[in-house]
Amino acid sequence: MTWLWILPLSAIPVLLVARYSHTVTQQQWAFVLSGVGMGEIQRLRDLSSVERGLARASYLDARGPVDPAEVRRLLDVAYAYVSGLTDRRLARLAHMAQIARMAAAIAEVKPLLPRDYELGQIRTAAALSLVAHHVLVSSGERFRLHVSTLSLGFKLARRALRKAQAGPKIDAGLDDWATLDEAHIEAFRLVLMTLEAEAAKGEE
Amino acid sequence: MSPLQLAIADAVKVALVLTMLGLACRRRLRLCWSIDAYLVVILACNWLITTYPAIYRTRSFYIQKTAVYDILQLCVAVEVAWYVFRAFPGARATARAVLLAIIAAVAVMIVRVPTVISYEYAVHSYRPQTLSATIWILSATATVATYYKLPLHAWHRAVLLGFATYLLVFVTLLNILRDYGWDLRARVSLIDAWCYLALITWWAVAAWRRAEPIVVPAAVVERLRMETV
């Protein structure tokens, strides 16, 4: 019965239960299930829309001057702004990944589509993610894959904008960044809306 | 039976009665019917063995009572799992796959058990296997519940933690007995008795402990099917 020696391993999850906090768990689930998040979605949508407009405008400003040094300086300023916005989105996606397990207990997600993106690297990431999406079984794994792909997409878009010198590359980067931005709001909405729908179904 | 063993057995009886009273007074009997049955059977067997040792402190009775204990322990593990996952279809699907694999392994193991078993076989081989299955079901439940951050009632948590920890110690003791021989039987039996007393005492405390405060709206409590007792 050599396999019995692996028994001590079974104590690990039990120790995890020992660290459980009922109050904290209740509060997390209350946030996930309550309608409070609905207002947050609209606020996030409005804020993201303004930020996207400002990002595009900052890059448009960089096309005005003829002086290459001035163009470079304005491009750096525009990039710094987009980079800051990207960091905020990555942090938000990291938080989403944390609550994804709770959402996965009762939710389902759709994958990113390569055709929605212009940059080759993001298209490839989306295509690989699409394949993986169909291989994975649980909704939790799919959601975490979705969030990971979005994070990777944001990083690739940011890198493309940093390297971009010409108009078309900047436009492609900004367009993909905007598409990813919509997708990350959709992911946030999906978590809350599906749980809300499930809650309503449960009340019927 | 030595005076110390008798004293521990009596202390276990008191702790069992206190646990059941606590569960009844706090209206927690319905939280896990299997463990209520398990506690009653343990109390009855304990009483029979200490009151009529000549009749009931025998190898045949040991095999019979441990068979009942093992079935009830498996029932406890499955019922706690059902309770924890009942409000979470997604988590339940994952848990179902894991638990079915464990239960299938248990079924294969039970089929392989001879129809007539000796006392030595029961102690050396049969019990460690069935108890390991129970431990794995409890551990799988704990893992999936932790993974999905599912709310756990204090009583279910006490059952999960207490049972898994005690059974782990007990199976290890059985393995020690098998590997190092029967000379250690008295010492191993005493360690097991102390551990069991600690488990039941802890359950008694958990059974009487007041319910943890509910800090979320009633709709959330209802949706998650959380117990407020």
Side-chain angles (χ1 to χ4, degrees):
Chain A
M1 286 293 134
T2 48
W3 60 274
L4 284 174
W5 292 109
I6 60 171
L7 269 178
L9 287 177
S10 68
I12 296 167
V14 176
L15 291 174
L16 292 175
V17 170
R19 294 177 60 217
Y20 168 89
S21 164
H22 197 53
T23 307
V24 171
T25 306
Q26 282 183 71
Q27 286 167 340
Q28 287 176 330
W29 275 103
F31 172 76
V32 168
L33 292 175
S34 70
V36 176
M38 299 301 119
E40 291 296 321
I41 293 172
Q42 193 50 47
R43 244 200 311 276
L44 178 64
R45 199 183 290 281
D46 295 343
L47 179 68
S48 295
S49 175
V50 171
E51 286 174 343
R52 278 199 300 275
L54 284 172
R56 204 171 280 278
S58 62
Y59 271 97
L60 280 176
D61 287 346
R63 291 176 191 179
V66 184
D67 179 14
E70 183 64 6
V71 168
R72 187 67 256 166
R73 194 186 67 78
L74 286 172
L75 277 176
D76 287 346
V77 169
Y79 168 74
Y81 180 65
V82 173
S83 185
L85 295 181
T86 303
D87 285 338
R88 255 187 275 165
R89 276 145 184 78
L90 291 174
R92 195 176 293 129
L93 286 166
H95 286 303
M96 263 191 250
Q98 279 179 3
I99 65 162
R101 286 174 187 170
M102 297 163 79
I106 37 186
E108 188 59 58
V109 71
K110 286 181 183 173
L112 296 180
L113 296 175
R115 65 165 180 265
D116 294 337
Y117 300 92
E118 295 177 37
L119 294 173
Q121 286 175 320
I122 298 179
R123 286 173 76 103
T124 307
L128 291 174
S129 172
L130 185 63
V131 173
H133 175 89
H134 292 294
V135 173
L136 296 174
V137 177
S138 83
S139 53
E141 289 167 337
R142 286 176 169 181
F143 191 85
R144 280 190 302 286
L145 172 75
H146 185 66
V147 168
S148 302
T149 311
L150 281 174
S151 297
L152 178 64
F154 271 119
K155 287 173 187 168
L156 291 172
R158 179 163 64 178
R159 197 173 70 171
L161 285 171
R162 192 180 66 216
K163 288 180 177 175
Q165 299 288 334
K169 280 277 183 188
I170 290 174
D171 286 341
L174 280 174
D175 287 345
D176 283 359
W177 193 87
T179 311
L180 288 166
D181 201 31
E182 281 294 334
H184 110 281
I185 296 171
E186 178 61 21
F188 186 60
R189 189 194 66 82
L190 185 78
V191 170
L192 299 178
M193 290 291 279
T194 47
L195 293 176
E196 189 72 9
E198 282 291 328
K201 204 193 295 175
E203 285 165 13
E204 282 173 8
Chain B
M1 205 176 227
S2 70
L4 181 59
Q5 280 178 317
L6 208 58
I8 295 173
D10 288 340
V12 167
K13 270 194 222 101
V14 173
L16 280 167
V17 171
L18 284 173
T19 307
M20 285 188 283
L21 277 175
L23 289 175
C25 291
R26 298 280 184 215
R27 297 178 181 181
R28 291 173 182 165
L29 285 170
R30 65 189 164 78
L31 292 181
C32 185
W33 293 111
S34 308
I35 201 143
D36 304 338
Y38 174 76
L39 294 173
V40 170
V41 169
I42 290 280
L43 183 62
C45 289
N46 186 324
W47 180 75
L48 285 173
I49 290 168
T50 50
T51 314
Y52 307 104
I55 305 170
Y56 293 105
R57 201 155 183 264
T58 61
R59 292 186 165 194
S60 63
F61 184 70
Y62 175 85
I63 293 173
Q64 288 167 18
K65 76 166 184 165
T66 51
V68 176
Y69 288 176
D70 293 348
I71 291 167
L72 287 172
Q73 283 166 352
L74 267 173
C75 289
V76 169
V78 172
E79 192 179 348
V80 168
W82 174 80
Y83 232 104
V84 170
F85 300 118
R86 64 185 176 149
F88 305 93
R92 197 168 57 219
T94 307
R96 196 186 294 132
V98 176
L99 296 182
L100 276 178
I102 297 171
I103 289 169
V106 175
V108 170
M109 193 183 68
I110 288 171
V111 167
R112 286 173 56 199
V113 172
T115 46
V116 180
I117 60 170
S118 67
Y119 176 73
E120 285 75 17
Y121 181 87
V123 175
H124 284 172
S125 304
Y126 172 72
R127 287 220 80 194
Q129 288 179 34
T130 50
L131 294 179
S132 301
T134 308
I135 293 171
W136 281 113
I137 293 175
L138 292 169
S139 298
T141 304
T143 307
V144 179
T146 308
Y147 182 77
Y148 286 113
K149 295 189 177 184
L150 304 187
L152 291 169
H153 189 277
W155 178 237
H156 293 143
R157 211 158 66 239
V159 171
L160 269 175
L161 267 171
F163 238 152
T165 312
Y166 167 72
L167 292 178
L168 200 60
V169 171
F170 185 63
V171 170
T172 308
L173 289 174
L174 286 179
N175 285 335
I176 289 172
L177 205 59
R178 187 195 61 211
D179 294 344
Y180 296 97
W182 286 93
D183 297 344
L184 292 170
R185 191 184 163 194
R187 215 172 290 175
V188 163
S189 173
L190 201 59
I191 295 170
D192 172 52
W194 278 114
C195 290
Y196 200 70
L197 177 60
L199 169 72
I200 303 295
T201 308
W202 187 36
W203 278 353
V205 172
W208 280 99
R209 193 178 289 144
R210 288 190 181 282
E212 289 170 287
I214 297 292
V215 296
V216 292
V220 175
V221 173
E222 199 181 332
R223 171 68 185 93
L224 299 179
R225 298 179 76 178
M226 284 164 59
E227 296 291 345
T228 53
V229 291

